[in-house]
Amino acid sequence: MMKMNGAEALIDTLLAAGVRVCFANPGTSEMQFVAALDGRDRMRAVLCLFEGVATGAADGYGRMAGTPAATLLHLGAGLGNGVANLHNARRARTPIVNVVGDHATYHLQYDAPLTSDIRGIAEPVSDWVRHSQLLEDFATDAAEAVAASTTYPGNVATLIAPADLAWSEGAQPAELPQMAEVERPPIERIAAAHDALQSGEDCAILLGGKALTGEALETAGRIAEATGVTLFCETFPARIERGGSRPVVQRLPYFAEAAMETLGRFGSVIIAGAEKPVAFFAYPGKPGVLIPDHVNSIGLSSPYEDVTYALKALAARLDTPAGTRDAARSEPAQGTSARGPLDPGNLAAVVARLIPENAIISDEAATGSLALFPATMTARAHDWLTLTGGAIGQGLPLAVGAAIACPDRKVICLQADGSAMYTPQALWTMAREELNITTLILNNSSYAILNVELSRIGAGSAGPQARALLDLSNPSIDWVSLAQGMGVPGQRATTVKELEAALKEAIDAPGPRLVEAILPGL
């Protein structure tokens, strides 16, 4: 066997396990990995100028590819910069392999300035963590990290990689361990769901995770057609296939009162591939669980069980054979009679008309999503990705990863202005990699959702200082200039007509483009 160092063995192990992309923001302790990547062109190395872009891009890649990307991060400080989007990825159950460099094992005793508790930073946002200690185990640790990340339904795995193991000679690649079979839910739960659907009461099915794509979603559509059950998805699904001829799935409302009112209309709610829904935040005097007590809650399958099997077994009990769903296709209306300044409603209508076939939508539009999601229900077929963990700064990096996973598809990033400022460096990566992404900035010059929440949480009316903390208009952020400064052409739109022209031009053009839509503040 060819002699190699630990870094080379680790990269070869990842390649053999099917990892083909590494989103990197390396430092001194990762230089051996940089050198190893240089000699292995089967691994695409993507430079990100902030670790939150790297981790968010790995999330977007994993959601669309179904296989993990790697990140390469610099010590605990670099991992810490990427924590928010790893939190989102973990909530999305996305497969990711983080490789976090550490000081040489013998150097830790000196407590150098960048020494930190890397494991302590990693554990809250990882499903699996290992700190490698021995060269002979280094590549095996990497193989086990990939196995952990790809265990159903998907996990964030973090491998802490000391510099001396990376540069030491005598390592060899390792093989992926045997994967465990996906657990199936017990037949009793399938029977309970069947009985509820046959009871004569109005029922709903709440779909999440793997239930919102592919065969599972198609099966849920057949069940809905056969029984009249209403399909809902989690408020923030990791990925949902929608539009075109796909089953119509309503989104569970974000605000707790609206969600409880919605679900309270049903006799039973069947949960498939999701957890029991809870309010995003606690509010004074309001319940935290969103299924009212008088509604029968039936857990068909958890996110960690084979939801495709569960739905197919339920369809079989209902005598709903495969291929019987009426897949009537609806086309979005063309053109618009709307004129004048933009508002969330007419902006959503323009987006719905212009979404191209097979597009991928990265949605961090915040308050704008309230209009955008329902308006696009009958748009051309597309995938919709959302802010699963609520840690803002995800939309732009998620689009980067999705575009690299699916280079033949147009990615549209629907991005609120406030949260875009958390990871604007992603624009630079879009330009450098020539990614097929159109970014639509919804600029209302405020943290609009927090203006709503300020009153809902019972904090009283906003005075001058409170309003200032939620205002982004002093000074106003010029997104067109910011994008152009990072190599992304941009246009600004203030009217419906301007938006329609600018967005169509951006979507039709290859490579990255940005459109800034000026909206009224709340």
Side-chain angles (χ1 to χ4, degrees):
M1 291 186 178
M2 185 176 67
K3 184 177 180 182
M4 59 179 65
N5 63 30
E8 292 166 334
L10 185 145
I11 298 298
D12 282 355
T13 298
L14 295 182
L15 282 166
V19 179
R20 291 290 181 267
V21 179
C22 178
F23 297 100
N25 188 283
T28 302
S29 52
E30 294 76 48
M31 287 299 101
Q32 294 296 332
F33 295 106
V34 171
L37 287 167
D38 190 47
R40 287 156 175 81
D41 56 11
R42 288 186 298 144
M43 178 76 76
R44 181 175 180 177
V46 179
L47 177 60
C48 303
L49 301 188
F50 175 63
E51 293 89 342
V53 175
T55 55
D59 184 9
Y61 181 93
R63 292 195 204 187
M64 293 309 305
T67 57
T71 69
L72 182 60
L73 308 173
H74 183 41
L75 299 163
L79 173 63
N81 280 340
V83 156
N85 276 328
L86 288 177
H87 165 80
N88 292 325
R90 187 166 183 252
R91 289 291 181 176
R93 302 181 183 91
T94 303
I96 294 177
V97 176
N98 299 307
V99 178
V100 184
D102 194 11
H103 291 298
T105 53
Y106 58 82
H107 195 69
L108 290 172
Q109 63 182 314
Y110 303 120
D111 193 26
L114 271 171
T115 302
S116 63
D117 180 6
I118 301 176
R119 176 180 284 275
I121 298 168
E123 283 182 341
V125 292
S126 304
D127 302 285
W128 180 98
V129 181
R130 182 167 298 168
H131 194 159
S132 292
Q133 298 295 318
L134 299 172
L135 179 63
E136 53 265 36
D137 297 333
F138 198 32
T140 300
D141 291 344
E144 292 185 4
V146 178
S149 76
T150 53
T151 298
Y152 188 93
N155 297 288
V156 175
T158 300
L159 178 63
I160 304 166
D164 55 328
L165 301 192
W167 69 53
S168 294
E169 299 288 340
Q172 292 295 332
E175 294 183 359
L176 199 68
Q178 186 173 355
M179 304 295 294
E181 290 188 7
V182 181
E183 186 176 347
R184 291 180 169 182
I187 199 69
E188 293 80 9
R189 285 197 247 139
I190 296 164
H194 170 268
D195 291 347
L197 291 172
Q198 297 294 293
S199 68
E201 291 187 311
D202 286 340
C203 292
I205 300 180
L206 178 64
L207 303 170
K210 304 288 189 184
L212 292 168
T213 60
E215 190 177 9
L217 178 62
E218 179 66 24
T219 305
R222 289 194 285 110
I223 292 171
E225 189 170 80
T227 64
V229 68
T230 304
L231 301 180
F232 289 95
C233 69
E234 300 167 300
T235 306
F236 293 99
R239 174 184 175 187
I240 176 171
E241 295 174 349
R242 58 199 299 266
S245 61
R246 290 162 172 167
V248 173
V249 181
Q250 300 179 40
R251 192 178 193 174
L252 190 66
Y254 168 78
F255 294 118
E257 306 94 316
M260 291 193 71
E261 181 181 353
T262 297
L263 296 180
R265 303 195 308 263
F266 300 98
S268 296
V269 174
I270 299 165
I271 303 172
E275 304 282 9
K276 182 175 285 190
V278 298
F280 218 70
F281 299 102
Y283 296 93
K286 297 175 182 177
V289 177
L290 300 182
I291 298 179
D293 292 339
H294 70 272
V295 177
N296 183 26
S297 176
I298 301 169
L300 176 63
S301 66
S302 80
Y304 305 97
E305 296 169 323
D306 189 341
V307 70
T308 302
Y309 162 81
L311 288 167
K312 289 174 69 176
L314 178 57
R317 277 188 172 241
L318 293 165
D319 196 23
T320 306
T324 61
R325 191 179 73 80
D326 182 13
R329 182 184 181 85
S330 57
E331 286 286 350
Q334 299 299 311
T336 178
S337 59
R339 292 292 181 266
L342 286 168
D343 61 43
N346 57 40
L347 178 143
V350 171
V351 171
R353 284 191 296 275
L354 294 181
I355 289 176
E357 186 75 22
N358 209 29
I360 300 167
I361 309 298
S362 173
D363 172 17
E364 196 180 20
T367 50
S369 291
L370 299 175
L372 280 159
F373 195 85
T376 53
M377 189 173 292
T378 59
R380 298 174 185 88
H382 61 275
D383 287 57
W384 196 282
L385 317 179
T386 76
L387 184 64
T388 47
I392 63 176
Q394 175 196 270
L396 294 167
L398 202 71
V400 167
I404 289 175
C406 304
D408 57 335
R409 300 173 65 178
K410 174 65 75 172
V411 177
I412 300 174
C413 180
L414 304 175
Q415 180 64 61
D417 57 333
S419 50
M421 284 303 294
Y422 281 55
T423 48
Q425 307 92 333
L427 294 168
W428 184 88
T429 300
M430 292 178 193
R432 179 186 178 96
E433 299 292 326
E434 300 179 347
L435 300 179
N436 195 19
I437 300 171
T438 294
T439 298
L440 177 62
I441 298 288
L442 284 70
N443 187 350
N444 57 18
S445 296
S446 71
Y447 290 120
I449 186 62
L450 297 183
N451 280 288
V452 176
E453 295 286 20
L454 186 68
S455 60
R456 284 174 46 77
I457 202 69
S461 58
Q465 186 158 281
R467 288 195 298 270
L469 285 173
L470 307 180
D471 173 64
L472 302 177
S473 65
N474 183 25
S476 296
I477 300 166
D478 183 345
W479 277 98
V480 172
S481 295
L482 194 155
Q484 289 174 343
M486 296 206 196
V488 176
Q491 297 184 62
R492 183 174 292 109
T494 61
T495 67
V496 176
K497 184 177 181 180
E498 289 174 353
L499 177 64
E500 192 144 37
L503 190 57
K504 185 178 188 307
E505 180 182 337
I507 289 172
D508 289 345
R513 296 288 189 278
L514 180 140
V515 177
E516 180 183 21
I518 305 300
L519 294 167
L522 291 182

